[in-house]
Amino acid sequence: MQVLSVASELFPLVKTGGLADVAGALPAALAKLGVTMRAMLPGYPAVMARLPKKPKAVHQYAGLFGGSARIVEARVEGLDLLVLDAPHLFDRPGGAYGDTAGRDWPDNWRRFAAFSKAAADVASGAIAGWRPDIVHAHDWQAALTLAYLRYGGTTPPATVMTVHNLAFQGQFPAAIFDELGLPASAMSLDGVEYFGGVGFLKAGLQAADAITTVSPTYAREIRLPEFGMGLDGLLNARADRLHGILNGIDIEQWNPQTDEHLASRFSAKGLRQRDANRRAVEQRFVLDPDSGPLLTVISRLTWQKGMDILAAELDRIVGSGARLAVLGSGDHALEGALLAGAARHRGRVGCVVGYDEGLSHMLQAGADAILIPSRFEPCGLTQLYGLRYGCVPVVARTGGLADTIIDANHAALEAGVATGFHFQPGSGDALVGAVHRVVDVHADRRLWAAIQKQGMKSDVSWEASAKAYVGLFRSLTG
Ligand code: ADP
Ligand code: GLC
């Protein structure tokens, strides 16, 4: 079976969040099950720099949304890439979606419409000798692929639309429609029209043969108005095509026994070896050594992630006796609030603003617990890294967080199955309450180690979920 994956991020070439990890890990996980996945990706500078000097062009455009472009193929880090090399759209300084100051590019609709058009062309046979059985599009940046296929005239391959986060929908004014090159009939209620404008994700959800999201709980939540972000009606109407498939993680990249980023490598049998990592974290975040729990947060600093609640509760968190090391970037006001909190609580709270993959590994290996106070969380990956590294997840009970962590309630502790702590999302009191529970349980070293070990036994690999994707793909191709 041949699959074309279409995503705007791909680890290790370009990453702003979990989408990259998932799109980067799925091809290898599926390969083990006999599925070949080629990954289509925009030619950002960071991507072009990783390609061989003269990559093979497999398709050319004299004009694609205002400039010449080509699709090149290459193998990088074991990934079979199809890169849209379109300098007028992607050869710019800054990130995947915005300039160096973090402002979204005003022509993002055009950039990702072009990307999606090119992906649809590949899916329709633009590359000599290759045609996928399945097109797997991720998030709004790739969603229009399915609309181009639907209105393209030829019989398209089967299509899957995966939603990683319903909060990002790619919603644009109706005025762009004429430039998309879709037939006028597509600007309709069951096409790309969305609240009077054009909705990229909406168009993909409408056109897809199957819709997936990244956890069973989020698949249920998004059918409710509170989580549906305006799309709950459509999702309910198409509920028979909606599936929740949990994300896994790359257990080779994230292996505490071999991880090059750590001060000291370890396994569940030698948790003492984590101590050197804890000391390294204390040094880097300028924290006083102490016998109480060291908490970490590794996150985009946004409202979704509950980072405003965290910033507001720093005093009470410190009051509980816990220490906190925060690594994150995002909202400038939240960065400022957390840095101010660290200055107020010298030695108890440390904050590094920035994006640092290596440091995120060290934190998982050195902290006692990872705090994830998200208001909603489609899946979440940092709790899975935490499980694997003996860094006990303390999570808001929502989406994939609820699906992957077993709360240390009385029954779960008795049965020896607890892997972390749950609390009510969106509440500062609940967050602080959970931190107090952590402080209490952490004081019982044997109990704490039992929770760590139970977490390290959890299967966080892609194995089960890769099978679920293959099952879905097969059901679509017959
Ligand atoms: P989301 O995609 O919504 O941000 P996930 O938990 O799915 O949330 O994925 C976040 C990914 O980004 C994880 O791999 C996490 O380790 C990483 N990450 C987030 N912030 C940082 C940071 N400041 N430095 C390094 N890695 C980060
Ligand atoms: C999104 C979600 C996150 C999920 C990730 C990968 O960024 O916010 O919960 O883990 O995608 O699917």
Side-chain angles (χ1 to χ4, degrees):
M1 188 186 298
Q2 303 282 324
V3 182
L4 175 66
S5 162
V6 191
S8 57
E9 301 182 23
L10 195 71
F11 186 83
L13 287 98
V14 49
K15 166 169 167 176
T16 73
L19 165 64
D21 290 331
V22 172
L26 259 180
L30 293 174
K32 291 191 187 131
L33 303 172
V35 172
T36 303
M37 185 173 256
R38 307 191 78 180
M40 181 112 184
L41 185 67
Y44 314 111
V47 171
M48 297 311 292
R50 299 290 294 272
L51 302 184
K53 274 241 169 56
K54 286 209 156 64
K56 184 172 165 213
V58 289
H59 190 68
Q60 304 271 0
Y61 293 95
L64 178 69
F65 287 83
S68 65
R70 53 186 195 147
I71 299 169
V72 300
E73 67 177 17
R75 261 199 106 75
V76 180
E77 305 255 4
L79 293 160
D80 185 354
L81 302 181
L82 292 167
V83 176
L84 177 61
D85 179 18
H88 64 296
L89 300 171
F90 300 116
D91 185 13
R92 311 174 176 182
Y97 312 121
D99 62 17
T100 42
R103 281 178 303 249
D104 276 359
W105 299 113
D107 60 347
N108 271 345
W109 66 269
R110 185 183 290 117
R111 299 170 77 228
F112 294 107
F115 176 56
S116 297
K117 177 69 172 70
D121 291 341
V122 170
S124 310
I127 301 179
W130 192 72
R131 218 187 162 106
D133 305 301
I134 300 272
V135 177
H136 186 188
H138 298 265
D139 277 354
W140 76 264
Q141 295 90 343
L144 222 51
T145 308
L146 307 194
Y148 283 117
L149 286 172
R150 177 176 168 194
Y151 297 103
T154 57
T155 310
T159 56
V160 177
M161 179 77 236
T162 293
V163 179
H164 294 265
N165 193 335
L166 211 55
F168 303 109
Q169 299 189 354
Q171 222 181 318
F172 301 101
I176 71 159
F177 179 76
D178 289 343
E179 292 188 55
L180 295 178
L182 286 164
S185 62
M187 191 61 179
S188 63
L189 207 60
D190 83 330
V192 307
E193 191 276 335
Y194 187 49
F195 291 113
V198 174
F200 280 33
L201 182 61
K202 186 263 180 174
L205 293 173
Q206 197 75 62
D209 293 321
I211 299 168
T212 74
T213 187
V214 287
S215 70
T217 294
Y218 193 60
R220 280 193 301 275
E221 288 172 340
I222 57 179
R223 295 177 56 188
L224 306 171
E226 303 91 283
F227 292 91
M229 311 231 168
L231 287 166
D232 41 297
L234 188 168
L235 290 164
N236 276 309
R238 307 206 75 211
D240 56 333
R241 305 193 176 238
L242 173 62
H243 310 263
I245 302 179
L246 266 182
N247 288 332
I249 61 171
D250 184 331
I251 57 173
E252 321 254 297
Q253 289 280 342
W254 291 90
N255 180 352
Q257 298 190 53
T258 55
D259 193 328
E260 306 265 325
H261 299 295
L262 309 191
S264 165
R265 295 187 262 282
F266 61 95
S267 71
K269 289 202 192 87
L271 288 174
R272 273 289 177 78
Q273 309 291 326
R274 293 181 94 255
D275 292 352
N277 298 316
R278 185 183 302 104
R279 284 195 294 277
V281 170
E282 286 167 351
Q283 273 172 13
R284 179 70 204 269
F285 287 81
V286 204
L287 297 171
D288 305 331
D290 185 318
S291 61
L294 170 54
L295 312 179
T296 188
V297 167
I298 306 162
S299 186
R300 290 188 286 118
L301 302 180
T302 64
W303 184 87
Q304 176 201 338
K305 300 290 179 181
M307 289 296 119
D308 52 321
I309 304 173
L310 179 80
E313 296 299 349
L314 285 181
D315 298 358
R316 288 206 285 168
I317 290 170
V318 169
S320 75
R323 292 165 297 153
L324 177 66
V326 181
L327 169 63
S329 62
D331 192 314
H332 294 315
L334 291 173
E335 292 178 358
L338 289 165
L339 286 169
R344 211 164 58 238
H345 296 290
R346 257 178 229 294
R348 310 302 299 175
V349 177
C351 180
V352 171
V353 167
Y355 190 92
D356 188 333
E357 192 76 25
L359 186 56
S360 76
H361 285 240
M362 179 68 97
L363 283 163
Q364 297 278 13
D368 297 296
I370 179 159
L371 213 52
I372 313 178
S374 307
R375 286 193 168 83
F376 66 94
E377 194 62 75
C379 180
L381 297 176
T382 58
Q383 83 279 16
L384 303 180
Y385 301 136
L387 287 174
R388 183 133 170 91
Y389 278 59
C391 184
V392 175
V394 184
V395 304
R397 191 187 308 103
T398 184
L401 300 174
D403 287 332
T404 54
I405 304 302
I406 301 175
D407 178 57
N409 60 38
H410 183 72
L413 287 173
E414 286 280 297
V417 296
T419 57
F421 297 82
H422 283 188
F423 58 93
Q424 179 71 29
S427 151
D429 287 342
L431 168 66
V432 173
V435 171
H436 279 282
R437 284 174 71 204
V438 167
V439 172
D440 288 347
V441 175
H442 181 262
D444 181 341
R445 288 307 146 94
R446 286 182 60 180
L447 185 55
W448 188 261
I451 296 174
Q452 285 178 297
K453 287 184 180 158
Q454 190 61 24
M456 293 176 86
K457 270 199 252 168
S458 310
D459 180 11
V460 290
S461 77
W462 268 106
E463 209 177 305
S465 299
K467 283 193 186 129
Y469 276 108
V470 174
L472 176 66
F473 293 163
R474 288 206 197 291
S475 75
L476 298 176
T477 53

